Amino acid sequence: MSKSLKRVEEALADAGLTIHILEMDGSTRTAQEAADQAGCHIDQIAKSIVFKGTESGAICLFITAGGDQVELEKAAKVAGEPLERADGKEVRKVTGFAIGGVSPVGHLIPPHVYFDPKLSTFATVWAAAGTPRHIFEIAPADLLHISGATVAEFTA
């Protein structure tokens, strides 16, 4: 088992949740690929989008519905500073995950986390489990709680 996958599994277990991580036959790198693999609506994919504060350098994780786009101006307002995309090395250094498999939980260094309220309209959502082929299903309220996220409006 990869270290990334193990961290996600441990984060879910430490939160007292019994959640089975699934390995998919195909890629789950994109929200559409993940939705196709899970057999769900694209907006039930809780995708993790990572930005960096241009002033502080702080990493900010935006958990958003799969069909939505993070609007940079709204996200910056939520984060309290201008933002830019974090590069792959920065993402891996802070989260411990490669782009395409960034989980909303199990980070090496806890980032600032924000949660798209649209995700709460579903009974369950699916999120990356640390690799491009592993995902897990979770109630949005549980994901919000264990990610330590703040609910905010940041999508287009």
Side-chain angles (χ1 to χ4, degrees):
M1 177 184 297
S2 78
K3 291 179 188 176
S4 298
L5 181 59
K6 187 163 181 61
R7 273 199 330 278
V8 174
E9 192 174 70
E10 288 172 355
L12 295 170
D14 289 349
L17 300 172
T18 304
I19 293 178
H20 300 288
I21 295 174
L22 303 176
E23 182 174 7
M24 298 288 117
D25 292 334
S27 173
T28 58
R29 280 189 175 286
T30 69
Q32 188 60 61
E33 288 175 343
D36 292 345
Q37 289 290 314
C40 68
H41 189 278
I42 191 169
D43 284 339
Q44 283 181 271
I45 300 301
K47 65 183 180 182
S48 297
I49 308 297
V50 184
F51 290 95
K52 177 177 76 170
T54 60
E55 296 166 359
S56 69
I59 296 296
C60 298
L61 174 69
F62 291 85
I63 305 170
T64 188
D68 287 350
Q69 297 292 321
V70 174
E71 187 176 293
L72 195 55
E73 284 184 29
K74 286 183 180 179
K77 194 172 199 176
V78 166
E81 69 176 303
L83 299 172
E84 62 187 12
R85 281 275 190 173
D87 68 31
K89 287 181 182 179
E90 292 167 317
V91 171
R92 187 178 284 275
K93 179 180 176 185
V94 172
T95 68
F97 306 116
I99 293 173
V102 176
S103 177
V105 299
H107 303 118
L108 295 176
I109 302 167
H112 301 286
V113 185
Y114 304 97
F115 192 86
D116 182 353
K118 185 177 198 176
L119 292 167
S120 295
T121 64
F122 299 99
T124 62
V125 295
W126 293 84
T131 82
R133 293 178 57 97
H134 290 86
I135 58 176
F136 63 93
E137 186 177 22
I138 187 169
D142 289 337
L143 181 57
L144 176 62
H145 175 72
I146 67 171
S147 67
T150 299
V151 176
E153 296 284 345
F154 51 80
T155 59

